[in-house]
Amino acid sequence: MSGDLEPRESARYWFGEDARRVLEVLSARYVGANPPVPFAMRAFSASGVLQTREGLYDMDLTAKLPTAENGDYAYVLGRVWSDDERSIDCVVEPLSPVRLYVNEELLYRSSAAEEMKPDASVVVPLLFRKGWNALLVEARRTEAGFGCRFGAEEAKVRILQVLAPFAGREGSAGWAFTAPAKSRRFGPEVGFPDVLANEEDTGLTWLPRTAWTAEEAGRPNLERMFGRPAAPVAAYGWSVLEVPYGASSIVLEGRASGNATVWLDGKPAIEVAAAGPFRAEISADAGRRQVLVRCVGGPDEWGFELRAYRGGESLAFAAPIPVHGGAGAWMYAGPLDPSAAAEPTAACGTAALFPAVDLAGRAAGQTYWRLDAPETMARPYYENAMLSNRWTTGGATNYARWDYPLGVTMYGLLRTARELNRPDLTEYALGHIDSCTDLYEYALWDRDRYGFPSVNHQLVLIRMLDNCGSFGSAMLEAYLQTGSARYLTIADAIADFMLRKLERREDGAFYRRCPGEYSADTMWADDLYMSGPFLVRYAVARGSREALDEAARQFLLYRRYLFMEPEGLMSHVYDFKYGKATRVPWGRGNGWCLFSLSELLEKLPENHPDREALLAFFRDHCAGVIALQSDSGLWRQVLNEPDAYEEASCTAMFAYAFARGVRFGWLREQERERYAAAAHRAWRGLAAEAIDRQGNVHGVCSGSRYSFDPGYYMDDLRTVVNDNHGIGIMMLAGVEIGMLSKAGEE
């Protein structure tokens, strides 16, 4: 990496030794490049194509098209947005003869062997162009089946969000599929459907349906959406009323099928005791006023009407939140228990789940907002980085994403905010974290309702430490600042996974079982970071000695498997399939270890039985690392390979650990000056070689797999500008260097 950044463009050229100024440009660039864009709320048909727990779209058409006969064709059509030209590996599991077209190019055609093998799974590389991409699946019914399953490999990380085609479905989530056809209707020989045109132009009937029949449209609103109840049940309607300036009062009038309440901005405006019309004049301030209606119905009728006037002039209701693909001014939730009522201001929001009942009044779990169209739900989606590189901004924003590199980034922002006394940075980081935690309960429900969650994919599909530990640690850092009980609820679930459910070796060491995957039966140095800092913060937050002891235990177990004597370095991976460590000291893997060990030592009691062994581990590892620092101040991608490129993220972590080792006195007194000098030299090298004056971060290795060959790390893993593996740790290193400098001045 040395020499890639022109000196005049470097942060060091302009800011010299001033770590605070570098922190300012690092944090400003990140926040500016990742604006706080919320989840996208979209209309979604619950009778459409759902996903499996693995994230594959389940296009098994046998049940959806029960009238189809052998030999019939059907088509499934969708659109995918890509922020950049991007390749993604997708999986096709054929259930019958299928063809997959992307932008009118045939990318996959099933073979007879694949169609007849019940567990057939084929990986198909897809290249998406920048902008919109059309996906078309053709399926033909046979006695064996009808359709396929299709989606992104590792779907909870590489999110493949499909939106509906055609003008009439614009903005809705999900696929459209045709009724059965007797002959092939699309393909190179006959042409392709225009995803931007009207679906009627294709000459085929497309499902799921989006409009009510005339008979359905004539029913009361709640009855046509939820059915006619056999017992008293309730429902909410939520809207916004535009009250014009100059108004001091308005008239609300309408009709209800039974007991009803109308709230305006959370305050009761009208109470209706029995079925029939109602009218009231109420005071109302100008602006957008939240309107919530709760209406009870029974066997005779179920619904309500509401109109508003000012001085005889009709006032407009509007959708309470933007719902892409949704029409109308109201959202609805039901059927609900009429004896249970939510606090009105809490009900009016996207995090609300409501205790549901069936039409006979029996408890039926929970429910969420829906729209006035056939089986059409409102559903939030994480789309901020759709089909961008999973670790970089890629032209999109990372805001509201739960994943492990962004856990480091949020931790870095929270520490930077304290160092710079910047409450705006704290607010931004907490906003990112809250966007995930606010919808935690919803995401669990969404996963169980639709098969695969639309938000918080990794959090609610925890299968490995990568999915929970890093961001969970940042969340607990936020908890230590805010005391939010919501954070602890999620932290308890993560701790239960780590302490009770995570795969372990016979001696208790965490490892990755991952049956059938390339990483089956392996232990990674990275996982000391994915577990240790979370367990340490959980121990502090909950007073859990068990969590602290487990963190200490894992570091000593990992040392036994991965520490390379006498080099003083950590092997990246131990592969139990081969019964040996790879003995490749990947830079960032070693960085994760030292970084996380410093987090543990900071909180470990002086009298803890493992403290001396862990201090010895820290000192031995620091000794191995410091011996390999290059003249530029940076360390190499493979630490002991002189030809490996210099890598920024491991350098930042070593600077962080050395600075803390000096500041907290973990390193021997006679060595502290040497380590302090190495930390400062590393920071100067980063400011000169890895951070430019705009706050862009260079020289960070992309996300890694593993190999016994050092060449994989040196040649196959290249650096990426503004890779999220490096941004947060660069800020954290700057904070620690600043604190080390202050300690040296005292």
Side-chain angles (χ1 to χ4, degrees), residues 58-384:
D58 190 356
M59 300 177 185
D60 185 346
L61 302 176
T62 305
K64 291 188 177 299
L65 302 175
T67 63
E69 299 176 344
N70 288 342
D72 283 356
Y73 292 87
Y75 294 87
V76 188
L77 181 64
R79 292 193 295 161
V80 171
W81 174 268
S82 182
D83 292 304
D84 301 291
E85 184 177 285
R86 186 69 59 188
S87 61
I88 181 172
D89 286 343
C90 285
V91 173
V92 181
E93 296 179 354
L95 307 172
S96 71
V98 295
R99 300 184 184 193
L100 169 65
Y101 297 91
V102 177
N103 297 325
E104 302 185 2
E105 178 184 355
L106 179 63
L107 290 190
Y108 169 74
R109 179 181 178 181
S110 59
S111 68
E114 292 161 355
E115 294 158 15
M116 299 310 300
K117 186 179 179 183
D119 58 350
S121 181
V122 182
V123 175
V124 181
L126 272 61
L127 179 64
F128 288 111
R129 62 195 181 197
K130 179 180 174 62
W132 287 111
N133 297 263
L135 279 67
L136 178 69
V137 174
E138 177 192 88
R140 195 174 193 192
R141 195 190 193 289
T142 69
E143 285 289 347
F146 193 14
C148 68
R149 288 179 288 270
F150 165 79
E153 196 174 39
E154 200 179 1
K156 66 183 177 182
V157 176
R158 295 174 175 85
I159 299 167
L160 181 64
Q161 167 62 1
V162 177
L163 302 185
F166 303 127
R169 301 173 187 261
E170 178 68 32
S172 298
W175 304 76
F177 57 97
T178 67
K182 293 300 180 184
S183 61
R184 177 169 286 131
R185 303 297 295 271
F186 302 122
E189 307 87 358
V190 291
F192 291 88
D194 182 350
V195 295
L196 301 178
N198 297 316
E199 59 191 80
E200 294 81 6
D201 296 342
T202 65
L204 294 174
T205 298
W206 291 85
L207 302 167
R209 66 190 182 105
T210 59
W212 299 113
T213 66
E215 188 276 330
E216 290 168 333
R219 299 176 193 171
N221 56 357
L222 301 178
E223 183 180 323
R224 68 170 167 260
M225 283 181 280
F226 303 115
R228 178 170 290 185
V233 295
Y236 282 122
W238 177 30
S239 186
V240 163
L241 181 62
E242 306 278 1
V243 179
Y245 286 94
S248 59
S249 66
I250 60 173
V251 172
L252 295 178
E253 70 173 27
R255 188 178 184 279
S257 59
N259 179 287
T261 304
V262 180
W263 291 272
L264 198 66
D265 284 344
K267 298 177 181 178
I270 298 176
E271 296 280 354
V272 179
F278 59 83
R279 187 179 190 277
E281 183 173 356
I282 62 171
S283 61
D285 295 329
R288 287 172 59 86
R289 309 269 70 91
Q290 296 281 331
V291 178
L292 184 69
V293 177
R294 182 173 177 272
C295 180
V296 175
D300 297 328
E301 185 182 9
W302 190 22
F304 69 88
E305 301 170 8
L306 185 63
R307 297 174 294 278
Y309 302 92
R310 178 211 175 199
E313 179 183 350
S314 178
L315 301 180
F317 288 92
I321 57 172
V323 181
H324 302 285
W330 291 85
M331 298 170 66
Y332 303 88
L336 311 175
D337 184 347
S339 66
E343 200 281 319
T345 55
C348 296
T350 57
L353 283 172
F354 304 97
V357 297
D358 63 18
L359 293 175
R362 297 171 298 215
Q366 294 175 302
T367 191
Y368 191 66
W369 296 112
R370 63 160 295 161
L371 306 176
D372 191 358
E375 299 187 69
T376 302
M377 305 296 291
R379 195 177 180 197
Y381 288 88
Y382 175 79
E383 297 180 0
N384 285 345

Side-chain angles (χ1 to χ4, degrees), residues 432-672:
H432 181 131
I433 294 167
D434 286 347
S435 293
C436 301
T437 58
D438 285 350
L439 287 180
Y440 175 64
E441 295 294 336
Y442 170 81
L444 292 171
W445 177 85
D446 186 286
R447 175 199 67 190
D448 295 339
R449 174 70 174 83
Y450 303 119
F452 190 75
S454 59
V455 295
N456 289 343
H457 303 79
Q458 296 189 55
L459 174 59
V460 299
L461 294 172
I462 296 176
R463 293 180 186 169
M464 58 193 304
L465 288 168
D466 277 21
N467 302 148
C468 59
S470 171
F471 205 97
S473 177
M475 179 188 68
L476 284 176
E477 182 72 13
Y479 168 77
L480 298 175
Q481 292 185 233
T482 66
S484 171
R486 182 176 63 254
Y487 296 156
L488 282 186
T489 299
I490 299 171
D492 288 341
I494 296 172
D496 181 65
F497 170 76
M498 286 192 191
L499 298 173
R500 310 275 179 261
K501 301 172 183 175
L502 185 62
E503 297 97 337
R504 296 172 182 258
R505 300 294 299 174
E506 294 81 359
D507 56 9
F510 296 156
Y511 86 119
R512 305 185 184 193
R513 184 171 293 156
C514 302
E517 299 183 18
Y518 84 97
S519 57
D521 299 317
T522 56
M523 172 187 288
W524 297 49
D526 315 44
D527 284 347
L528 288 173
Y529 167 71
M530 305 301 171
S531 58
F534 171 84
L535 290 169
V536 169
R537 283 181 175 77
Y538 187 77
V540 173
R542 281 297 198 194
S544 171
R545 181 61 182 257
E546 179 190 13
L548 196 65
D549 289 347
E550 188 65 72
R553 177 190 186 195
Q554 291 302 321
F555 273 93
L556 296 178
L557 286 168
Y558 271 56
R559 173 174 182 154
R560 185 186 308 165
Y561 285 100
L562 296 175
F563 197 58
M564 298 163 54
E565 303 276 9
E567 296 96 324
L569 305 174
M570 292 284 280
S571 172
H572 183 205
V573 168
Y574 192 102
D575 192 328
F576 293 97
K577 298 187 295 295
Y578 295 92
K580 62 179 69 175
T582 60
R583 296 193 63 80
V584 178
W586 179 42
R588 190 156 65 230
N590 281 257
W592 289 133
C593 179
L594 267 185
F595 172 93
S596 304
L597 186 49
S598 80
E599 299 268 301
L600 172 60
L601 289 172
E602 182 183 4
K603 302 299 183 184
L604 201 66
E606 293 290 334
N607 62 353
H608 193 281
D610 291 331
R611 185 171 179 84
E612 287 306 313
L614 290 166
L615 278 172
F617 185 14
F618 182 80
R619 292 166 182 158
D620 291 347
H621 197 186
C622 285
V625 168
I626 197 173
L628 297 173
Q629 188 175 24
S630 70
D631 293 340
S632 69
L634 278 66
W635 279 266
R636 299 189 178 279
Q637 164 76 339
V638 179
L639 295 175
N640 58 2
E641 288 284 348
D643 295 332
Y645 63 82
E646 294 177 344
E647 202 276 332
S649 66
C650 72
T651 298
M653 286 192 267
F654 296 148
Y656 180 89
F658 287 0
R660 288 165 69 81
V662 172
R663 191 160 62 84
F664 287 110
W666 304 326
L667 295 164
R668 295 182 177 87
E669 188 172 358
Q670 65 271 24
E671 298 176 325
R672 291 175 195 166

